[in-house]
Amino acid sequence: MQARERRTAAPHRRGRAAAFGTYALVAAIVSTLLAWPRLSSGAEVADLLHGPDDFMRMAQVADWLDGQAWRDTVQRRLDPPDGVPMHWSRLADVPLGAAIMAAEGTLGRERAMHAAALAVPALLGGILVALFFWLAGPLAPAARFMAPLTALPALLMPLVQFRPGRVDHHGLQLVLLALAVGFLFRSLGSGRARPAAAAGGVTGVSLAVGLETLPFVATAAGCLALAAVLRRDAASSFAAFGASLCMVAATLLLLTVPLSEWPVPTCDRLSLPHLAGAACCAAAGGAAVALRRMRPASGRPVRLCVVAGVGVAGLGFVVALFPQCALGPYAEMSAEVRYWFDKVREARSLVEFYADRPGTAVAFALLPLAASVAAALHLAQHAGAHVVVQRIALLGLVLSGVAVLAWQIRGASYAGLTGAVALVPLAAALNARAETLRRLHARLALRLAMPVACVAAMVLPGAIQVALRPADGNGSEPGCDLAGVLDSLNDPAGLGRKPTTLAAPIDLGPEILLRTPHGVLAAPYHRNVRGLADHRRIFAGDEAEALATIGRRGIEAVLFCPRYVHMTAHPGMSAFLNDRLAHDRPPDWLVPVARGEALVLFRVDLERAIHERASAPAG
């Protein structure tokens, strides 16, 4: 008997080993393709990093490697002397920190950071594509390789987050999401609790990294709850998901957040309100299991009443306890920084973004919307209870992506990944249909239909926009490259002789933190309330207000670039400094030190500034 079982298990083990080898090969190929275009770039890490979040992530990692505590995520050079407690998690610093530590002894810190910025995103991108092939198994069991291969071009939008230098947490979040989706569909298809527990644990990790996966939590919990209502045997899966989610999230909260902040309900990162929501999921799952044991013959209406009753009552209690977080992660944002946040491009809704860049907005939305239609048609086909719940989950997943994208366009990668997943069954159906065709060119055309359509959906709208509006005002503005003034900022005989505080364009704040020893008043983060408010007073207030703020904050240098004037524009304010500097007429108390392409560095003449402040008329 044992020998027969070993013979039966051997092909299964060989199949799993072959699948693992295939996924590893796919990951290696994709990682190489992602990193290859930048392998010959210079050793400066700034040559790779793309935007403020990437610079800030690297600055946070550098502070951690230089001795800042694991639980301490305060960026002390942002809005000094107190600094800003960042809502970012250290978990996202781990891959970069590990890569830098491994290479620093041989390459030195700067080259090690460059190597990490090159390798880590590419490696995560390869893992994402390999996971895409893996998670497609339950969705296309008859075409485990061909279906995800056909749908692979739909991943082009999410793969933007894995370019060399894209070191922020979004890539890690997408990898965790793909892993959780794979476990979820394996649980829904089989009814087993172990994959559901794995999905809950991975989702708990993703919530500790950032709250972008909250829509997935709601979708997964809802689908597992539906499965528990439709099938008695799925109650344990729902309970396992909720319990694992709750335990992992609570553990990571304790491990990553300072002790003093554990009892504080914070809406923009994992905290008590989110743990309470996870506990509601666990309680509803536990109620489903208890009902199954106490009343095994209970029907679907009874199961629905129990599961929905416990879940809705629990969520109502959570909302009553933490009403400030019911409106989203930015519900607690100060009115003082709303003027800035409303101008952040990635925080715009899809409708607002469409008014500015219609082609790009259509490119973001077209594929997820098409995937929603495909998932809805797939659901309409007759199937058993197991498959129906799986198809509902597929539709719910892609609709959650569309909803996030409609709310803020920063959800384009999430929507792109969920859309690609939802297209896998359609890809499998097209491949099955192609197998029935006799002519080779017909089979080839049908198999290429989806890849070509996906690429066209993401490329053509933007190309049409460029063709119709070739003169893009934003693209024609001179750049604000920090390189032109970097030597002056780091000059040990000048401004670089000691760290000081700069009033600089908001989006350049993180780059200054990484590439100089100085602090900055403001950077593009909603917790930087005092710094953003004082930054507005300096650039958008009248001269007396600018001088008073400069004197109060001890500002010794000012950086100006006309591209960022709109970020401080505020109705009802005189914008004295913005207007004077935009017309190259700086006040006497700003002394030019260095110029870049459009960026100008000024030294503040404190004596003159104090004199001007003292002589300024009251009121």
Side-chain angles (χ1 to χ4, degrees), residues 187-194 196 224-240 288-289 292-293 296 298 300 303 385-386 389:
S187 176
L188 291 174
S190 66
R192 293 185 294 128
R194 185 175 296 179
L224 286 167
L226 178 63
V229 170
L230 296 179
R231 308 193 318 260
R232 295 185 184 89
D233 62 339
S236 57
S237 296
F238 184 30
V289 171
R292 180 187 175 189
R293 291 178 178 176
S298 59
R300 289 176 178 175
R303 295 198 296 270
H386 283 71
V389 175

Side-chain angles (χ1 to χ4, degrees), residues 40-336:
S40 60
S41 61
E44 290 249 356
V45 66
D47 295 335
L48 288 177
L49 303 182
H50 293 278
D53 287 350
D54 299 315
F55 281 100
M56 182 60 84
R57 176 64 63 187
M58 195 63 80
Q60 291 286 95
V61 172
D63 289 345
W64 176 40
L65 295 179
D66 287 337
Q68 190 168 8
W70 167 261
R71 288 193 177 104
D72 181 8
T73 58
V74 175
Q75 181 48 250
R76 288 179 171 77
R77 289 189 294 139
L78 175 57
D79 192 17
D82 297 330
V84 174
M86 302 294 289
H87 64 290
W88 292 1
S89 170
R90 281 283 186 220
L91 295 177
D93 296 346
V94 171
L96 281 174
I100 293 170
M101 290 175 64
E104 188 173 5
T106 303
L107 302 177
R109 170 62 65 86
E110 179 68 25
R111 288 181 177 273
M113 292 172 74
H114 178 276
L118 179 68
V120 171
L123 178 61
L124 291 175
I127 293 173
L128 176 73
V129 174
L131 286 174
F132 183 67
F133 278 82
W134 168 76
L135 68 83
L139 301 175
R144 291 177 177 267
F145 184 78
M146 284 304 301
L149 181 65
T150 305
L152 191 59
L155 281 180
L156 287 179
M157 190 71 71
L159 284 176
V160 170
Q161 298 292 349
F162 300 92
R163 295 169 293 170
R166 196 70 176 97
V167 298
D168 195 21
H169 70 290
H170 299 295
L172 178 60
Q173 282 286 62
L174 290 171
V175 169
L176 292 171
L177 176 63
L179 190 59
V181 167
F183 284 127
L184 174 65
F185 282 111
R186 276 164 171 76
S187 176
L188 291 174
S190 66
R192 293 185 294 128
R194 185 175 296 179
V202 173
T203 304
V205 176
S206 72
L207 288 179
V209 172
L211 298 181
E212 290 91 338
T213 47
L214 272 175
F216 171 76
V217 176
T219 301
C223 292
L224 286 167
L226 178 63
V229 170
L230 296 179
R231 308 193 318 260
R232 295 185 184 89
D233 62 339
S236 57
S237 296
F238 184 30
F241 175 85
S244 179
L245 169 66
C246 197
M247 288 188 295
V248 170
T251 300
L252 291 176
L253 176 67
L254 299 180
L255 292 177
T256 60
V257 176
L259 176 63
S260 61
E261 297 181 28
W262 289 354
V264 179
T266 307
C267 302
D268 59 1
R269 74 172 181 192
L270 181 65
S271 66
L272 284 180
H274 311 102
L275 289 186
C280 291
C281 179
V289 171
L291 178 65
R292 180 187 175 189
R293 291 178 178 176
M294 291 188 295
R295 295 187 59 184
S298 59
R300 289 176 178 175
V302 175
R303 295 198 296 270
L304 175 62
C305 289
V306 170
V307 171
V310 173
V312 171
L315 289 176
F317 185 65
V318 172
V319 171
L321 279 179
F322 310 106
Q324 70 274 26
C325 295
L327 299 177
Y330 304 113
E332 295 179 302
M333 185 184 298
S334 167
E336 288 187 287

Side-chain angles (χ1 to χ4, degrees), residues 520-597:
V520 293
L521 195 61
Y525 304 105
H526 63 274
R527 287 191 174 190
N528 181 209
V529 177
R530 186 180 67 170
L532 286 166
D534 282 343
H535 182 275
R536 181 190 62 191
R537 294 185 182 101
I538 290 173
F539 287 96
D542 57 27
E543 185 173 18
E545 190 174 18
L547 284 170
T549 307
I550 285 173
R552 174 169 54 84
R553 300 305 305 269
I555 304 298
E556 297 185 29
V558 171
L559 271 171
F560 177 78
C561 182
R563 168 174 281 188
Y564 294 109
V565 166
H566 73 285
M567 298 300 292
T568 49
H570 195 272
M573 299 187 75
S574 66
F576 165 79
L577 202 56
N578 271 338
D579 288 345
R580 293 288 294 270
L581 297 181
H583 293 90
D584 201 19
R585 294 186 294 106
D588 294 340
W589 42 270
L590 286 185
V591 180
V593 175
R595 290 181 179 269
E597 182 182 357

Side-chain angles (χ1 to χ4, degrees), residues 430-451:
L430 291 176
N431 276 285
R433 174 60 179 161
E435 291 293 333
T436 66
L437 300 178
R438 293 184 178 182
R439 298 182 180 277
L440 177 62
H441 69 274
R443 292 199 301 269
L444 184 61
L446 192 56
R447 284 189 169 130
L448 290 177
M450 179 175 287

